[in-house]
Amino acid sequence: MNGPEIHLEVAPQLRLFVAHGRRQGRTAVTTDGSSTLGHVVESLGIPLTEAGELLVDGRPAPASHIPAAGELVEVRPVPRPQPVPGAPLRFLLDVHLGTLARRLRLLGVDAAYESEDIGDPALAALSAKERRVLLSRDRGLLHRRELWAGAYVYSDRPDEQLRDVLERFAPALAPWTRCTACNGPLAEADKDTVGPHLEHGTRRSYDVFAQCAECGRVYWRGAHHARLEAIVAEAVRDFGPVAG
């Protein structure tokens, strides 16, 4: 670029997206004189899904603003909790976030998940078609224009990922109401009805069951229930209340 020089200051939470030379505070950026502020921010590596309020010389400015020479641009992070207007809060997770998808479903959060890599264009199109917030650690994917909404998942650890999403979006929690395998709704199931799907030891040891209305998977309080209960209890304690 060879045009007006502006001054840029990126919030600490967003500095992982920019080059190391821009992570210490205010830096100079040379623009082309015609690109919008949103384009300039994205060209520096920050997905607009992660950019909250944009300030120009201390005043809020739209992403469509054309920066002028000498302006100070401050890029703030999105607010938390972040409102998502225009549709029920639903998520779409990319192929690398399977554990997070299952934990969101465990909490009753609508979380679609692609277990195979269908490609960035298809994921972005599905986000737009179903009006779902796309969750990903792929920064390039979050730059795609066709996205309806998106969010970067900042950690690679499932426990931290879950807390990040719950803190950022504050979804209503309804534990034990969704199938962790397919995202379908669960309903109480009679032992005699689901008996043909169970091994003999399970039929003998358990009496309370639930079944997915979509894929037919049967659930009971088996060996892993204590670990799942701990995940649910922590989420409800820190990010409740549970939806009525």
Side-chain angles (χ1 to χ4, degrees):
M1 294 184 182
N2 186 21
E5 183 178 271
I6 64 173
H7 305 286
L8 178 77
E9 192 166 309
V10 178
Q13 301 94 317
L14 302 178
R15 290 177 184 171
L16 78 161
F17 296 110
V18 300
H20 283 278
R22 300 193 183 281
R23 296 182 181 181
Q24 301 307 312
R26 190 172 303 180
T27 59
V29 176
T30 301
T31 71
D32 61 9
S34 60
S35 293
T36 65
L37 181 55
H39 178 80
V40 172
V41 168
E42 281 199 305
S43 71
L44 296 171
I46 304 172
L48 288 184
T49 62
E50 305 311 298
E53 191 173 41
L54 303 175
L55 301 180
V56 174
D57 293 336
R59 296 184 295 275
S64 59
H65 172 76
I66 307 296
E71 289 182 338
L72 170 60
V73 173
E74 298 172 70
V75 185
R76 294 182 173 176
V78 292
R80 292 186 176 225
Q82 178 183 349
V84 181
L89 181 59
R90 304 187 298 175
F91 297 100
L92 171 65
L93 290 80
D94 73 16
V95 68
H96 303 292
L97 296 176
T99 299
L100 175 60
R102 290 187 290 273
R103 292 190 179 190
L104 287 170
R105 292 169 177 177
L106 176 66
L107 296 172
V109 177
D110 190 337
Y113 165 66
E114 294 296 331
S115 59
E116 297 182 1
D117 189 355
I118 63 174
D120 289 2
L123 273 174
L126 186 59
S127 164
K129 178 183 178 182
E130 299 188 357
R131 298 174 73 82
R132 291 179 178 272
V133 179
L134 178 62
L135 302 179
S136 179
R137 285 182 49 77
D138 183 342
R139 304 178 191 186
L141 176 54
L142 295 175
H143 282 283
R144 299 194 69 91
R145 297 296 183 193
E146 60 269 41
L147 275 181
W148 179 70
Y152 183 72
V153 177
Y154 285 79
S155 175
D156 59 1
R157 298 170 59 86
D159 290 348
E160 295 173 1
Q161 290 174 346
L162 182 62
R163 294 188 66 85
D164 181 22
V165 174
L166 297 181
E167 179 189 66
R168 177 165 176 172
F169 292 101
L173 305 183
W176 316 109
T177 62
R178 284 189 181 274
C179 176
T180 57
C182 81
N183 199 42
L186 295 182
E188 292 184 9
D190 181 81
K191 185 175 183 177
D192 293 336
T193 301
V194 300
H197 301 283
L198 306 175
E199 295 183 359
H200 177 70
T202 302
R203 290 197 302 270
R204 184 179 66 249
S205 302
Y206 299 96
D207 295 308
V208 179
F209 298 91
Q211 187 170 27
C212 176
E214 293 188 5
C215 74
R217 181 168 178 169
V218 180
Y219 291 85
W220 61 92
R221 297 188 175 188
H224 300 295
H225 185 77
R227 179 176 60 85
L228 300 179
E229 183 71 59
I231 293 172
V232 169
E234 180 178 342
V236 170
R237 181 192 70 212
D238 294 344
F239 302 102
V242 174

